[in-house]
Amino acid sequence: MSIRLINRLLKERTAGRKLFVPFITAGDRGLDFTRQAVLALDQAGADAVELGVPFSDPLADGKVIQASSQRALEQHTTLAGIIDMVHTLRSKTDMPILLMGYLNPFLQKNANAMAKWLVQAGVDGTIIPDYPPEEAMDWIKACGEQDLDTVFLTTPNSTPDRLAAVAQASTGYIYYVSVTGTTGARTQLPAHLQQGIARVRSMTFLPILVGFGIATPEQAARVAKVSDGVIVGSALVKTLAGKENNRAALKKFIQLAANIAKAVKK
Amino acid sequence: MSATRPGWFGEFGGCFAPEVLMPAVHELQKTYAQARRDPKFRQELDTIRRNYAGRPTPLDTAARLTQAWGGAKIFLKREDLNHTGSHKLNNCLGQILLAKRMGKKRIIAETGAGQHGVAAATVCARFGIPCRVYMGTEDMQRQALNVYRMRLLGAEVYAVDSGTRTLKDAMNEAIRDWITNVDNTYFLLGSVAGFDPYPKMVCDFQSVIGQEARQQILKQTGRLPDAIVACVGGGSNAIGIFSSFVKDRKVRLLGVEAGGEGLVTGRHAAPLARGRIGVLHGSRSYVMQDADGQILNTHSVAAGLDYPGVGPELSYLKDSGRAEFIAVTDTQALAAQKEMARLEGIIPATESAHAVAYAKFLAKKLGKKKSIIINVSGRGDKDLKPGDVQ
């Protein structure tokens, strides 16, 4: 497991605080913007950040992340560029950074070489939604050897078998998808959230973070109560979609992130 | 990635599906495995193929094409005569029976040329299940007749305006729908692509083409053909006819990809010729992609071939050397479509015309003593627009 991530998780757990992990598509408004956003998130109270690796065919994403991936690709964002940016961030911040994206860009090197590349740049883990544990054996092994975390997703409809497989393959934390659906903010939190989390809890000692559909500080606070923390993506990414300049967009983005962090940590 | 793992063809295939789909994928794998062994299922499928689809489709000699090309004897497997006008119905009949077994209340499908969409809309009308077909707006424009047919059959055609607005994006949107409505919805995938069990299952349902063709050619000529030619988009008609001949090592299997404006221009849809191995839409196979692993835009005059991926079993046949793959340009395909119309009174789909175009070249190369079966996967009415023909 990544030392940076384990330290952060332990620190928060000891203090009795819940975790807040924001998501931002890398390269949305350019990688320089992402770099500033990551540093500002660190100041705003994020415990880790998930950097989206844009892909031409984001088939598990709703419209907000789709559009954001498109914007990032139009800025010629590549996985190599993102990895380089993380490397430059490491002299500035110890906040854990995970890459989240579809499998194909990660296949441009073999598993061992990719894992080494990520770790040397200072990446702490990966979340690859179209890479279920049974297909990812090589990747899990390569990441294990490099102390790179493999976070897998689990869903309300996961069977006990699947929950066990995901729990066994995951390191760092477990990503509990609160709804059956694509990414995107919802106006209401799903029913049975607590029962769903309890099912995962019985399988693992890892922190369970809840994502998909959390849009406001109020929702985040409620979800944090029944879990180990929240992941917020679309609601944050949406603040970058407008026409305002980068400075104004970053301000809006960070304001929302800071409000959510406060709600989660209180 | 061992060759013996279910869902794999050598190093191709697999089940790279988002976690939320896993329960549905496993349910489908199980239901399909049971249905395959159930004589009642096979009988039901057989009856509906005969009485509703009009199978078996004929295998006919193409005397005038043979004469005009001056080489090998040409046979046509007439999938264009299958109900709805293409081979796509074979798969839809099989899958709708599975959806019924699973008690699904809603069907979704993706379509490129609209032939699979029409076939899906057709079986949904026949079995009284609501149907939504995802189709790129670019394809809706160039295959407008099929959009009209789907709507007439009672299906909802959902316009997909993202990405390249073609089959790839229709597929993305259909998968997003399935992710959202996985509890009550059946995803009626139209090709041998996608995650396990689709490639294997769709191949099984399409293999009726090859089974019939093999019997027919043996009955008509007393021997096997020297070559079989089929067009390849996702690859379902190709694998459907190839599968019964794979063990006959002397029968050459030739898949024809869409060369678009020419392979050198980059504007084509030929992942087997010009792609690299990757993962798109749930399986490991040849994919058209750039150096960063982003999926490339494709181009073909034939909407049904305009797709950057290909079924994993075809990738396996390519790498094992059992099948050969060639690309034919838009211009060559359109010329072949016209030639076949004038000489045989059969208007093939622009997709199928790719196979016809290559068969012309191959017929001359093989010479008079040889024989070739062309899989005429669909009819071309859908491709005609007023003003096209001078």
Side-chain angles (χ1 to χ4, degrees):
Chain A
M1 221 179 127
S2 147
I3 295 292
R4 275 183 295 264
L5 187 58
I6 212 165
N7 282 345
R8 178 61 77 123
L9 299 180
L10 283 175
K11 188 177 147 211
E12 295 305 297
R13 184 170 280 191
T14 313
R17 284 193 295 259
K18 299 301 173 79
L19 302 160
F20 167 50
V21 178
F23 168 100
I24 180 173
T25 305
D28 188 354
R29 290 178 175 255
L31 281 174
D32 247 9
F33 181 89
T34 311
R35 197 167 174 279
Q36 289 175 44
V38 170
L39 292 173
L41 283 170
D42 191 9
Q43 298 302 313
D47 293 299
V49 63
E50 294 178 357
L51 281 186
V53 179
F55 184 51
S56 52
D57 293 82
L59 51 77
D61 280 302
K63 293 223 177 297
V64 171
I65 309 275
Q66 282 178 49
S68 147
S69 303
Q70 193 54 40
R71 291 194 297 271
L73 289 175
E74 279 160 14
Q75 299 278 336
H76 307 290
T77 308
T78 62
L79 179 56
I82 296 168
I83 293 170
D84 285 349
M85 182 205 59
V86 172
H87 192 61
T88 67
L89 274 170
R90 276 299 166 227
S91 59
K92 310 262 184 201
T93 175
D94 266 339
M95 181 169 63
I97 297 174
L98 294 93
L99 299 190
M100 179 169 190
Y102 296 87
L103 175 57
N104 203 52
F106 290 99
L107 295 177
Q108 305 311 310
K109 285 183 191 288
N110 72 44
N112 284 322
M114 180 58 76
K116 264 189 202 146
W117 190 23
L118 294 179
V119 160
Q120 280 164 6
V123 172
D124 297 282
T126 62
I127 308 165
I128 307 176
D130 57 345
Y131 212 9
E134 53 270 62
E135 301 294 6
M137 288 312 184
D138 291 353
W139 182 237
I140 293 167
K141 187 163 168 279
C143 289
E145 284 166 7
Q146 299 294 328
D147 288 335
L148 191 65
D149 285 315
T150 49
V151 173
F152 288 91
L153 290 85
T154 177
T155 54
N157 63 347
S158 293
T159 57
D161 281 4
R162 304 265 348 140
L163 283 179
V166 165
Q168 204 197 351
S170 294
T171 62
Y173 55 88
I174 303 247
Y175 193 136
Y176 180 72
V177 176
S178 63
V179 292
T180 54
T182 53
T183 56
R186 269 91 171 159
T187 48
Q188 279 191 317
L189 289 174
H192 313 300
L193 183 61
Q194 226 166 331
Q195 294 95 310
I197 294 167
R199 290 178 67 221
V200 187
R201 178 80 72 209
S202 66
M203 300 277 185
T204 182
F205 292 113
L206 291 175
I208 301 166
L209 302 193
V210 180
F212 282 40
I214 301 166
T216 64
E218 296 72 37
Q219 286 177 335
R222 273 158 53 207
V223 173
K225 266 204 188 98
V226 297
S227 64
D228 298 313
V230 300
I231 301 164
V232 179
S234 295
L236 286 169
V237 167
K238 207 173 170 181
T239 64
L240 309 180
K243 293 235 187 304
E244 55 272 81
N245 65 27
N246 283 350
R247 224 179 117 188
L250 184 61
K251 202 174 153 197
K252 253 168 63 184
F253 177 87
I254 288 301
Q255 207 149 46
L256 179 59
N259 288 341
I260 294 173
K262 225 165 88 188
V264 168
K265 301 283 179 189
K266 78 171 177 227
Chain B
M1 289 179 199
S2 89
T4 51
R5 257 176 80 190
W8 285 86
F9 310 89
E11 57 168 323
F12 300 103
C15 189
F16 297 85
E19 189 62 32
V20 63
L21 293 180
M22 282 301 182
V25 165
H26 288 158
E27 183 194 7
L28 180 58
Q29 287 168 348
K30 218 174 94 189
T31 308
Y32 176 57
Q34 285 165 351
R36 278 188 83 178
R37 290 191 304 266
D38 182 354
K40 273 214 305 245
F41 179 83
R42 288 205 302 266
Q43 199 184 4
E44 196 178 0
L45 184 57
D46 193 56
T47 305
I48 196 169
R49 275 175 179 164
R50 240 192 354 259
N51 297 345
Y52 186 65
R55 300 202 71 89
T57 59
L59 180 82
D60 195 13
T61 53
R64 301 234 300 147
L65 275 182
T66 303
Q67 193 188 18
W69 293 349
K73 187 165 183 185
I74 305 297
F75 291 83
L76 306 176
K77 179 60 176 166
R78 297 290 309 278
E79 287 304 297
D80 59 315
L81 292 178
N82 204 25
H83 178 44
T84 73
S86 84
H87 73 291
K88 291 292 187 187
L89 188 69
N90 303 333
N91 169 46
C92 287
L93 288 175
Q95 288 201 51
I96 198 77
L97 295 181
L98 289 179
K100 216 178 65 170
R101 274 188 171 221
M102 294 160 80
K104 296 292 180 182
K105 302 283 182 247
R106 177 174 177 265
I107 303 285
I108 54 170
E110 84 300 343
T111 200
Q115 293 296 81
H116 173 59
V118 166
T122 297
V123 298
C124 286
R126 161 109 186 182
F127 287 90
I129 306 178
C131 176
R132 176 187 274 188
V133 179
Y134 287 91
M135 188 170 191
T137 47
E138 159 90 13
D139 290 341
M140 286 177 71
Q141 205 174 10
R142 57 178 166 168
Q143 307 277 227
L145 177 64
N146 274 346
V147 175
Y148 179 72
R149 289 169 78 199
M150 285 183 266
R151 287 181 175 151
L152 190 63
L153 288 159
E156 177 197 356
V157 181
Y158 190 101
V160 177
D161 209 20
S162 57
T164 52
R165 303 177 179 87
T166 57
L167 179 54
K168 162 180 90 89
D169 310 285
M171 181 85 163
N172 289 339
E173 210 54 46
I175 293 175
R176 288 184 191 116
D177 182 318
W178 205 30
I179 286 174
T180 309
N181 302 295
V182 63
D183 294 339
N184 67 355
T185 297
Y186 183 92
F187 182 20
L188 208 178
L189 208 160
S191 196
V192 287
F195 18 80
D196 181 56
Y198 287 105
K200 176 87 195 87
M201 181 173 75
V202 176
C203 169
D204 279 356
F205 291 141
Q206 290 295 359
S207 65
V208 65
I209 306 172
Q211 288 157 17
E212 289 174 8
R214 199 169 192 284
Q215 281 179 4
Q216 289 163 325
I217 194 89
L218 285 173
K219 201 169 163 198
Q220 290 175 28
T221 69
R223 63 182 196 87
L224 291 170
D226 296 287
I228 296 174
V229 185
C231 67
V232 177
S236 71
N237 90 82
I239 205 77
I241 193 163
F242 288 172
S243 55
S244 296
F245 297 91
V246 166
K247 287 188 183 139
D248 306 307
R249 309 299 297 189
K250 286 190 176 153
V251 180
R252 286 176 67 186
L253 306 175
L254 298 125
V256 187
E257 291 189 299
E261 293 172 8
L263 292 183
V264 290
T265 67
R267 285 183 49 78
H268 57 80
L272 289 166
R274 283 291 183 274
R276 284 187 296 121
I277 295 172
V279 170
L280 173 67
H281 294 149
S283 54
R284 190 169 191 272
S285 194
Y286 280 94
V287 180
M288 284 178 55
Q289 55 182 312
D290 67 14
D292 301 313
Q294 302 294 342
I295 307 307
L296 287 171
N297 291 347
T298 53
H299 166 80
S300 170
V301 67
L305 306 184
D306 201 352
Y307 181 65
V310 64
E313 194 170 3
L314 287 149
S315 291
Y316 176 69
L317 289 177
K318 173 191 154 87
D319 274 19
S320 64
R322 179 61 191 93
E324 306 154 67
F325 295 90
I326 323 93
V328 151
T329 64
D330 290 349
T331 315
Q332 291 169 318
L334 291 173
Q337 186 178 41
K338 194 163 167 183
E339 186 171 19
M340 187 161 175
R342 304 257 162 118
L343 289 177
E344 293 294 339
I346 297 166
I347 304 169
T350 312
E351 289 77 12
S352 321
H354 284 71
V356 178
Y358 183 71
K360 178 177 183 173
F361 169 80
L362 185 68
K364 285 181 184 145
K365 217 171 80 173
L366 290 181
K368 291 198 173 191
K369 286 185 181 154
K370 307 284 183 168
S371 61
I372 299 172
I373 297 178
I374 303 172
N375 196 19
V376 185
S377 55
R379 69 179 186 220
D381 315 34
K382 70 183 176 64
D383 302 317
L384 308 180
K385 285 181 211 70
D388 270 3
V389 185
Q390 282 94 37

